[in-house]
Amino acid sequence: MKKDNRIFEILISNRQIKKGIKKTAKWLNKEYEGKTPVIIGILKGCIPFIGQISTLLNFDFELDFMSASSFKGGTKGSNDIQISLDLKTNIKGKDVIILEDIIDTARTLKKIIELLKNRNPSSIRLVTLLDKKEGRKVELDADYSCFTIPNKFIVGFGLDYKEIMRNYNFIGCLKPEYIEKERSNNL
Ligand code: IMP
Ligand code: MG
């Protein structure tokens, strides 16, 4: 991937991401052998993660998506969580796996899980590519986290800064001066 001068450092390389996803797929293959769960991707950050992991899964599964956001496009979270796209699949009596790009405050997932539990699935498990444990504002643990990361704002492999930079094949930290410059341009 071409070097981007808005990136300060690469936190997780493409090679490391691939390795982490392989390990996660192995865990899922063991846990869901012989079952047909519904995998729910939380848009839009889950797209590269789902794209890569789905080709490594050996069991049958249905795939559906939800969209919710607690971020208003910048680097600060917000309390106001909106569900903007709901499932088409009826999950009653089914095993559900939520695939998320990152858990930070966990407010988004908490809300999604509450909503899904009311629909009486047989089980719900949460799998995340990245876990920013220090960012938690509500209590919630993933059943499987690929990588635990420090409390820094990151971009790439599905994660955005103001809707761009999702396309990097690595996960990197943005230069603080880039964010500052953006802020002053918007004043
Ligand atoms: P939570 O409700 O705070 O756990 O927010 C989760 C959502 O916030 C994720 O699905 C991301 O869209 C976004 N998010 C959290 N941390 C970051 C980050 O470091 N970079 C980009 N997006 C982030
Ligand atoms: Mg986002």
Side-chain angles (χ1 to χ4, degrees):
M1 189 125 202
K2 199 170 144 264
K3 201 169 174 304
D4 188 317
N5 61 15
R6 295 169 296 187
I7 298 296
F8 164 64
E9 62 171 347
I10 294 180
L11 198 65
I12 310 172
S13 69
N14 184 251
R15 221 173 117 240
Q16 289 172 308
I17 294 174
K18 278 191 178 148
K19 224 171 130 187
I21 291 180
K22 248 190 186 165
K23 228 172 122 185
T24 311
K26 208 171 154 189
W27 181 79
L28 286 168
N29 283 333
K30 191 165 70 63
E31 296 291 316
Y32 291 92
E33 192 185 349
K35 296 183 176 163
T36 307
V38 183
I39 294 183
I40 299 176
I42 311 297
L43 294 171
K44 307 168 201 169
C46 70
I47 288 178
F49 183 32
I50 290 228
Q52 289 205 10
I53 203 165
S54 60
T55 61
L56 303 173
L57 300 178
N58 299 330
F59 51 89
D60 290 333
F61 59 88
E62 292 179 60
L63 183 60
D64 206 342
F65 295 94
M66 285 180 93
S67 184
S69 67
S70 67
F71 270 53
K72 296 280 171 262
T75 59
K76 290 270 184 304
S78 119
N79 285 330
D80 180 29
I81 290 147
Q82 317 253 333
I83 306 277
S84 45
L85 176 77
D86 205 341
L87 299 177
K88 292 204 171 68
T89 311
N90 181 356
I91 58 166
K92 192 171 175 209
K94 294 184 183 167
D95 294 310
V96 167
I97 307 168
I98 301 175
L99 283 195
E100 172 68 307
D101 52 352
I102 186 167
I103 311 177
D104 181 14
T105 67
R107 284 185 183 123
T108 316
L109 257 316
K110 190 103 182 171
K111 170 134 185 184
I112 287 178
I113 290 172
E114 270 167 26
L115 190 87
L116 296 181
K117 273 191 177 156
N118 284 334
R119 298 177 189 175
N120 299 315
S122 142
S123 68
I124 301 189
R125 271 165 152 186
L126 173 58
V127 173
T128 188
L129 180 66
L130 305 165
D131 197 343
K132 232 192 239 182
K133 285 196 197 297
E134 295 158 33
R136 287 294 193 284
K137 295 274 192 273
V138 294
E139 214 177 297
L140 186 77
D141 279 325
D143 295 285
Y144 194 99
S145 318
C146 233
F147 300 99
T148 299
I149 58 161
N151 205 359
K152 291 181 180 173
F153 188 79
I154 47 148
V155 290
F157 206 75
L159 290 140
D160 68 302
Y161 175 65
K162 295 192 174 176
E163 293 300 328
I164 57 171
M165 305 180 190
R166 295 188 195 271
N167 53 307
Y168 301 144
N169 67 8
F170 56 84
I171 288 160
C173 299
L174 268 183
K175 282 183 185 160
E177 60 262 36
Y178 172 73
I179 297 173
E180 287 310 317
K181 201 171 133 226
E182 279 279 292
R183 276 204 190 110
S184 55
N185 282 346
N186 290 331
L187 284 179

